[in-house]
Amino acid sequence: MASPAPAQIARGLIGRGLAEHKAGHLDAAEPLYREGLALDAKVQEGWRLLGVLLQQKGATAASVEVVERALALGRNAVDLSNLANALNQLARSEQAAAAAAEALSFDPRMPAAHLNLGVANRALGHREAAAQNFRAAAGLQPAYADAHLNLGVTLTELGKPDQAEAPLRTAVGLLPQAAEPQFNLGNSLLRQLRFEEARDAYLEAIRLRPAYAEAHGNLAAAYKALAQLDLSVVHYAEAARLAPRDIVLLQNYALMLAELRRYGEAIPVYEQAVALNPPQAPIYTNLGSAIQEYVRDRHDVGVLALLDRAILAHLQALSINPELVAAQMNLGLALLARGRQADAVEAFKTAIALQPDVAESHSNLGQCLSDIGQFEEAAAACRRAIELNPKLAEAHSTLGNTLIAQNKVVEAEPHYRDALAIKPEMPGAWCNLGVSLFRQGRAAEAETVYETALKYDPNLPDAHWNYALALLQRGVFDEGFAEYEWRLKRPGRLRQDAGFTQPLWDGRELNGASILIHAEQGFGDAIQCARLIPQVAARGGRVVLQARKPLKRLMEHLPGVAEFVIDGDPAVDIACRAPMFSLPHHFVRSLDDLPGAIPYLPVDPELSAAWAAKLATIAPDGLKVGIVWSGNLTSEVEIGRSIPLKALAPLAAVPGARLISLQKADGMDMLDDPTLGFEVARLDEVYDAGDFAETAAVMANLDLLISCDTASGHLAGAIGKPVWIAVNRVSDWRWMEDREDTPWYPTMRIFRQQTLGDWGPVFERMAAALREWRPSPSKGEG
């Protein structure tokens, strides 16, 4: 008997392979197909079956070569359709379309070829043509689930979700255990705003395929539309877990968290998205905005690094799309919060150049310009914002801020009230209205307004701080100094204290540990609080006092001070720290806790003796009356406290009074005014170049100091020198209300304006008092 021919053996092997193939044994079928084709490469069906098998195994690229071997033996609809299917999977859409079209030229009624042509057309963006292809496939084969499914998906993409619903429901009926038809039915229903039905479709898709990331994401969208936000965020979280590299899902999850004001959770999700380096600017600026919202309720030094990260995110957004107005706006806000007002100005100006009619940009620009002292430009920007949007409360409030910065407190009030009429829940506007009222002398109204601000935002540092000033002015020291601690959480103060690493002292026993007491605010504040340093030492601490150099000689020998460190120099082995104006919070509970020992700052006897000799020459007889009329004009508290030198003329007319200038820096030019009309003795360059120890030595040899509200008045009180201070109608909190004395300094007498800005009557009264005044032998009364 003759042996079987190779062709016969080949067909036998291919037949065995087909049996294994039909049984689902792909790994067993493949070598049988290949062995048969090796014996006879002209068996077209063998190449066709091997090509189908390879596609089923996911070896799509390899299948293309195999199907082309089949077609080389004769072009036909089946192999061309199979080729189109493989090319579609490889995203070679134009070639797939050509192959499918050629298949239809052989067999126009071939459903698979119509389907494959539709898939290619859809990928090429020819969705109307694709829909026609899928309809043809479904018409030729009504039970063709993929045709109905693809038709529904394409119609949904074409914005025809109502037409998509029927083929998708048909696909669901044909594939009841498949998740994809349910998912796409959900998409159609979601587009029709039938949110409950969409939710149910997505839930069914997830039941069939629990790890279906896209279904979780779209279910989250359905829950969001149904206002079930807690469930929405749960499914966004699951979608992001299942698809950690899906930028759209990550973005939607982060946006949902931000909508729930869960910014601390949103930030790492955005960070996960931007780590994928997407070329999508909104993701970066959304990250920056989430950080800014997160730090809005935080008041610690850590916000500075976070704001820097926000700034970087906005800059990354702008590197992708320089014309993204939202990124420019958010960059400006982040720079403003970081204290970089000049840079913020440029960001807002760029935003305005890109989109001139956005009121918020003009309003924010106004705030920045006001912060850097460009008040006219700031007011113009705010008024432009109001012109663009009269209902923008922030613009009205910012215009008020601009006027407050110019000490136009009466003019500012109506603008805050306009803001609050539009947006009654705006805590910042309530706070600033309180500032306007307080500076008008309407302290009781201001307190009520601050309380309203805190009702809307219990953690608003400026509201707490200003409320503290109102309480302290009334002498409510216990609560007032507790509220005053909120100054440490104000944005500018956080930036100022960013270099400190030690924890704040809470008042407990120190048990020998070193504590850094550091000066803050002005020189006068340091002098005022220095009296409390011995009480810190009494808690068992080694006190390291840090202050500016002009205070060194005055304070380094203060009782309780173990070491004096000049600002900027390092302090080592420090366990904790306390800003000087936090000491009253620990030690001053009521007026009864003051004044304590006076004097509490020592005067250098050698310096005092030297100045005694000099003053004997400058003013050999009469009352030696030192005068100081101007404070630091750049100080935050410089609100009408400085005095024109000419206003002191009544003092010069008092018989026997000899006026001696102790003024330094600001205001010295007034001595050279040829129209001054009275004589003021000047000290020498030693005094001009000297520090506070030098000033104290001069004061020790005066009969009386007359001063505006500045550090000189504090110094005179601290060394027990009689001192009269002139304060404006709305004075600083420490001089309280309607008193001529102060518990801080028993040698001080206060002369108050009766009319805001009118110093004339103040110095007429002071001159009258000076005519009757005689220095006490003990120099202990004012």
Side-chain angles (χ1 to χ4, degrees), residues 534-764:
Q535 297 186 55
V536 180
R539 295 278 171 94
R542 179 181 179 274
V543 173
V544 178
L545 177 59
Q546 184 178 61
R548 285 184 279 174
K549 187 175 181 179
L551 291 170
K552 183 178 189 297
R553 285 200 300 167
L554 179 70
M555 292 187 173
E556 64 183 341
H557 300 302
L558 180 70
V561 173
E563 180 183 352
F564 188 100
V565 178
I566 296 172
D567 268 358
D569 290 346
V572 297
D573 297 326
I574 303 297
C576 57
R577 67 180 178 94
M580 286 190 79
F581 239 115
S582 290
L583 301 185
H585 173 52
H586 297 301
F587 299 113
V588 182
R589 302 300 183 186
S590 71
L591 294 175
D592 295 336
D593 294 325
L594 293 171
I598 298 290
Y600 58 84
L601 286 178
V603 178
D604 186 315
E606 292 184 8
L607 285 178
S608 179
W611 277 107
K614 291 181 181 182
L615 288 170
T617 302
I618 294 170
D621 53 23
L623 289 175
K624 296 180 181 66
V625 180
I627 58 171
V628 178
W629 57 92
S630 179
N632 178 0
L633 298 181
T634 63
S635 169
E636 184 178 4
V637 297
E638 181 54 45
I639 307 295
R641 64 174 181 159
S642 293
I643 305 164
L645 179 56
K646 283 185 177 181
L648 278 64
L651 302 177
V654 174
R658 181 70 164 139
L659 302 188
I660 303 169
S661 169
L662 272 67
Q663 185 67 44
K664 293 185 179 183
D666 293 331
M668 287 291 288
D669 57 320
M670 296 182 190
L671 286 169
D672 299 321
D673 184 352
T675 66
L676 183 60
F678 59 92
E679 183 180 354
V680 179
R682 303 191 193 197
L683 303 177
D684 58 23
E685 62 276 1
V686 173
Y687 174 78
D688 293 338
D691 57 15
F692 279 95
E694 203 81 43
T695 304
V698 174
M699 288 180 182
N701 290 283
L702 299 176
D703 295 300
L704 173 68
L705 177 74
I706 293 177
S707 176
C708 66
D709 178 7
T710 190
S712 296
H714 290 278
L715 179 57
I719 67 171
K721 176 60 58 177
V723 52
W724 296 354
I725 69 164
V727 300
N728 62 6
R729 176 68 183 86
V730 183
S731 65
D732 188 73
W733 64 266
R734 71 199 81 204
W735 312 129
M736 304 178 68
E737 297 177 311
D738 304 323
R739 293 178 61 145
E740 290 190 358
D741 67 337
T742 169
W744 292 94
Y745 306 113
T747 61
M748 180 177 283
R749 181 175 176 184
I750 301 170
F751 291 79
R752 299 177 183 273
Q753 278 183 351
Q754 299 304 308
T755 303
L756 193 63
D758 186 2
W759 290 109
V762 175
F763 287 97
E764 291 291 349

